Amino acid sequence: MSYLQLFLTFFYIGLFTIGGGVVAITLMQQAVVDKGIISADQFYNMIAISESTPGPLGTNMATYIGFSQHGVLGAIVATLAEALPSIIIILIIAHFLEKFHKNPLVKGALSFLRPVTTGLVLVPALQIFIYAVMNLPEDFAVLKQISEWKNLFNWMNLAVYELFTVLLFKFKLHPILIILMGAAFGMLFL
């Protein structure tokens, strides 16, 4: 992947990432994993690291992928390309804020974008869950071949997932503590 391809790929991702960085995961997966630039395993590891570091997920992912391709300069190119469309769009919207705010067409478009972005967030969340907790390949073809349920899940990961979900929602444990505990658990037991 050349610097120009890197820039254009992440400019495209930044341009169509409506709804935040999590939505960018789907576009990034199509742009870098499906085209064989990085493996799915590398991609999901990048998501875990990007989620664990400060800053927007999409920007962190762009930085990480750019670095993996071309070092520091690649990280800078990918990060700027991913952020540039948002900066341009926000400047345009800020300039015409009153017209956009009262326009019924814009209100209608935004009301339909909410469920679309919800679906775009749900897809990578489901993919990450499947990758982290279930013993399935990406193409799900093995589903027809699995005869025993005990082989369907990675039971240790599923138990950890459930434990941390309870700690987060029931006991209101701070997400940073959940991340640190998850990292510690992974280093100790996996």
Side-chain angles (χ1 to χ4, degrees):
M1 178 176 261
S2 70
Y3 286 106
L4 179 61
Q5 290 172 316
L6 189 67
F7 180 85
L8 293 174
T9 297
F10 283 97
F11 188 85
Y12 163 79
I13 290 167
L15 186 61
F16 291 102
T17 304
I18 299 169
V22 177
V23 176
I25 293 173
T26 304
L27 292 175
M28 285 184 197
Q29 184 176 18
Q30 291 172 349
V32 296
V33 176
D34 294 351
K35 293 183 179 177
I37 295 166
I38 61 173
S39 70
D41 194 45
Q42 289 174 307
F43 185 73
Y44 290 121
N45 288 337
M46 287 179 183
I47 292 172
I49 291 169
S50 295
E51 280 283 358
S52 303
T53 55
L57 175 66
T59 305
N60 290 349
M61 289 286 295
T63 304
Y64 197 167
I65 293 169
F67 184 81
S68 76
Q69 295 298 299
H70 293 290
V72 173
L73 185 56
I76 292 169
V77 168
T79 303
L80 287 175
E82 200 270 339
L84 191 57
S86 296
I87 293 168
I88 293 168
I89 290 168
I90 288 298
L91 289 174
I92 292 169
I93 289 174
H95 183 71
F96 296 105
L97 183 61
E98 276 304 306
K99 289 180 184 176
F100 281 122
H101 182 67
K102 295 178 182 178
N103 187 323
L105 292 175
V106 172
K107 283 183 179 182
L110 291 175
S111 71
F112 279 96
L113 281 175
R114 288 183 201 114
V116 169
T117 55
T118 302
L120 288 172
V121 169
L122 184 61
V123 168
L126 183 60
Q127 288 174 332
I128 292 167
F129 176 82
I130 289 169
Y131 178 80
V133 177
M134 299 180 77
N135 292 324
L136 294 176
E138 291 179 42
D139 62 2
F140 299 107
V142 78
L143 271 178
K144 296 175 185 171
Q145 300 169 3
I146 292 179
S147 59
E148 298 180 33
W149 278 92
K150 67 180 181 179
N151 295 330
L152 185 59
F153 291 98
N154 180 329
W155 294 102
M156 174 77 85
N157 288 1
L158 184 60
V160 169
Y161 170 81
E162 290 175 5
L163 171 67
F164 288 149
T165 301
V166 168
L167 290 173
L168 181 65
F169 290 109
K170 179 153 178 69
F171 295 104
K172 307 293 185 206
L173 201 60
H174 198 280
I176 292 174
L177 291 174
I178 299 287
I179 291 169
L180 292 174
M181 289 169 54
F185 179 83
M187 288 187 280
L188 292 173
F189 296 107
L190 299 178

